Amino acid sequence: MTRRTLLIGAGAGVLGVILSSCTPEPAPTPTPSRTPTPKPTAGAITPAAFVRSAWTSDPFSRGAASYTPVGTQQSAREALAAPVDDRLFFAGEATDTEAPGTVDAALRSGDRAADDVQRVAGDGERIAVIGAGLAGAAAVSRLVAAGHEVTVFEARDRVGGRVQSVVDEEQWPVPAQLGGWLFASADSEMAAQLTRLDIRSTTLGTPLWRSAEGDVEPVSTEPVQAAITAGQQQPTDVALADALSESGVDLEDPGIVALLAAVAASSGSDADEASTWFPPALPPTELIAPLGDLGAIVDDLLEGAKVSLASPVSRVAYDDAGLSLRIATGESLSFDRVVITVPLGVLQGKGLEFAPALPFAQRGAIAELGMGRIETVWMRFDESPFAATAPEEPAATAPEELDAAVPTVWHVVGGDALIRTWFDLSAETGESVVVGIVGGDAAGEFAELDDQKALEAAIASLAPFLATP
Ligand SMILES: Cc1cc2nc3c(=O)[nH]c(=O)nc-3n(C[C@H](O)[C@H](O)[C@H](O)COP(=O)(O)OP(=O)(O)OC[C@H]3O[C@@H](n4cnc5c(N)ncnc54)[C@H](O)[C@@H]3O)c2cc1C
């Protein structure tokens, strides 16, 4: 049971059907990209479970995570976040300047927008939130706690947005995460949410860099960091790829290619698109990976609000007196203030019309910022097809040190792998589960493949790690 009021949108009349505050949670929606039966096969290696994302073509995200393209100032994000006439309040990861494109950014932006609303909202005002991702949910939580009545309009038939945990115990020993999940610091907003809801996590680290010829030296991020520092001394912003070339880094070097693939897989942007003044984050030495249903965080934050699913907002009309939202079902509803959390890709794709048009500052920011591409694939095998990755046991090594030395992050060096960054969850789950993550142009390419071709590309990418390559 949930205290959140669930409204069913499309086809039922948005405000027509109120399933009261005691409506059971809807059953988890099966992901549409789940492999149909029969499962695709990639030669002799066939996963028992396979699921992949499709954010690049998703009309309600149109990409995965915002990035700062070369030549764009981070102030574009502040411009996007500025309230319009104290009626429209923008949130979402793209409005965050600290770590845009992350789950933390989304949570923080929702809090910030809710504070902005509260500074001007009077008692009894009707407040709407567009989008039930982390940003929208965080805003709701703060507004509801302050005593406001909040209505959420979510385009999809599920909440969570770019956070999507596939909970299916028959297929996955832990929920498969198709969107954002990893973070680097135990101090983060996401860590606080996991602690609050008692969702367990694990640490991924000890990277293993492997080519068709065998293990290779770990590739240091130092030359990339040095190129970024040099780029930041330039009078104008230069693309990360140019800064690397100018610093003498060989962009064709297989190790650098693998490292930059990992950067693209977390930022969504390739080195020729990324700024050095506002650079993408380099891979941290350790990542924290939640092992539970992240939908529980969103559900919890949405408690106390009315949530209307399958209700894409197509138009926001605003003036001195208030605002009106047009829902794709045809209805128009009036509110006093609205928090808009739709992804940058939706704003760029004109998925939401504004009347009057947004001020230049916002439109400029929307046009300037970049929407990156990230896709992910999860595979579980009944029998592990992978060669051992644990180091040989030196006589004097204590068992706990040996555990820490088992690599859980795999980098594919050389060859023409489409997916070069992998996580091995076998130590944590006791089953052969690997997660591939790909960003930038390669993600766009991966997104265009059908399931069979995507599986073949995934298995082919893993060739250096297979027992029989
Ligand atoms: C594959 C992938 C991997 C990622 N990996 C990581 C990671 O490891 N770590 C990390 O920190 N971050 C990661 N991210 C980024 C992270 O997921 C996002 O930054 C974060 O979830 C964004 O939250 P948000 O609330 O800003 O936007 P969203 O979650 O996109 O929420 C916006 C909501 O608005 C809805 N919406 C869109 N249009 C309309 C409309 N017209 N009307 C009504 N509703 C609408 C959407 O359906 C959505 O629910 C990843 C993202 C992807 C896609």
Side-chain angles (χ1 to χ4, degrees):
M1 299 286 205
T2 171
R3 278 187 283 126
R4 146 160 78 88
T5 302
L6 186 73
L7 310 176
I8 302 293
V14 168
L15 292 185
V17 184
I18 301 182
L19 296 179
S20 93
S21 58
C22 289
T23 302
E25 280 294 310
T29 316
T31 169
S33 53
R34 174 68 57 80
T35 309
T37 309
K39 292 189 182 70
T41 57
I45 298 167
T46 305
F50 169 83
V51 67
R52 62 188 283 222
S53 63
W55 302 102
T56 308
S57 56
D58 185 324
F60 302 123
S61 65
R62 293 180 181 270
S66 71
Y67 71 93
T68 310
V70 56
T72 299
Q73 299 294 308
Q74 203 73 317
S75 54
R77 298 184 187 278
E78 286 161 14
L80 182 58
V84 177
D85 297 348
D86 282 342
R87 294 255 166 245
L88 318 188
F89 298 81
F90 285 83
E93 54 82 9
T95 65
D96 185 72
T97 50
E98 206 177 305
T102 64
V103 286
D104 265 23
L107 288 165
R108 208 165 26 233
S109 76
D111 288 349
R112 190 255 316 136
D115 290 347
D116 287 348
V117 170
Q118 284 190 76
R119 265 190 279 281
V120 292
D123 288 346
E125 286 197 355
R126 290 151 304 164
I127 298 174
V129 172
I130 306 180
L134 284 177
V140 164
S141 173
R142 215 164 252 220
L143 290 167
V144 167
H148 292 288
E149 203 167 283
V150 183
T151 306
V152 183
F153 296 95
E154 167 53 53
R156 302 175 212 261
D157 59 3
R158 63 168 182 85
V159 300
R162 281 170 279 166
V163 162
Q164 186 180 6
S165 304
V166 178
V167 183
D168 181 346
E169 283 168 17
E170 283 183 15
Q171 300 281 339
W172 303 105
V174 294
Q177 309 292 349
L178 293 186
W181 60 310
L182 305 166
F183 55 97
S185 163
D187 280 343
S188 69
E189 312 275 334
M190 192 61 171
Q193 296 293 335
L194 295 178
T195 307
R196 204 167 57 77
L197 294 185
D198 207 14
I199 299 175
R200 74 188 178 100
S201 58
T202 189
T203 303
L204 301 174
T206 320
L208 177 61
W209 301 73
R210 187 174 277 183
S211 75
E213 283 74 47
D215 293 352
V216 298
E217 276 296 302
V219 180
S220 167
T221 55
E222 264 173 41
V224 181
Q225 190 52 62
I228 288 171
T229 307
Q232 290 178 342
Q233 311 301 318
Q234 304 282 333
T236 54
D237 193 9
V238 288
L240 176 57
D242 293 336
L244 286 164
S245 296
E246 281 162 28
S247 307
V249 174
D250 177 5
L251 291 173
E252 310 277 305
D253 177 85
I256 291 294
V257 170
L259 175 61
L260 293 178
V263 173
S266 71
S267 67
S269 61
D270 287 314
D272 58 353
E273 306 166 304
S275 161
T276 44
W277 281 11
F278 305 101
L282 300 183
T285 46
E286 285 188 343
L287 280 167
I288 300 170
L291 297 172
D293 176 11
L294 300 180
I297 296 175
V298 180
D299 278 341
D300 185 71
L301 291 170
L302 288 171
E303 291 259 316
K306 295 175 191 162
V307 180
S308 179
L309 297 178
S311 302
V313 177
S314 57
R315 188 168 189 265
V316 179
Y318 59 101
D319 60 21
D320 292 346
L323 62 95
S324 144
L325 302 183
R326 188 193 293 156
I327 318 301
T329 49
E331 284 155 285
S332 284
L333 301 162
S334 298
F335 292 91
D336 295 297
R337 329 249 168 214
V338 62
V339 178
I340 300 165
T341 77
V342 304
L344 176 69
V346 171
L347 294 171
Q348 289 177 329
K350 305 187 179 64
L352 197 51
E353 185 194 341
F354 291 91
L358 291 174
F360 272 129
Q362 251 98 1
R363 276 185 280 156
I366 290 166
E368 263 183 60
L369 290 166
M371 192 62 178
R373 297 128 295 164
I374 308 173
E375 299 294 352
T376 192
V377 55
W378 282 59
M379 293 188 286
R380 178 178 62 77
F381 300 90
D382 283 337
E383 275 183 38
S384 171
F386 302 111
T389 55
E392 304 248 319
E393 186 175 355
T397 305
E400 59 275 15
E401 284 173 28
L402 203 66
D403 271 1
V406 174
T408 46
V409 183
W410 297 349
H411 296 281
V412 179
V413 180
D416 55 3
L418 194 56
I419 307 176
R420 294 188 177 278
T421 312
W422 291 87
F423 305 115
D424 173 18
L425 299 186
S426 58
E428 188 56 47
T429 63
E431 297 190 45
S432 181
V433 176
V434 289
V435 182
I437 180 147
V438 55
D441 282 350
E445 213 179 302
F446 184 72
E448 283 180 11
L449 302 176
D450 62 26
D451 277 353
Q452 176 63 38
K453 291 264 182 304
L455 174 63
E456 284 166 12
I459 300 282
S461 298
L462 279 163
F465 289 89
L466 295 174
T468 323

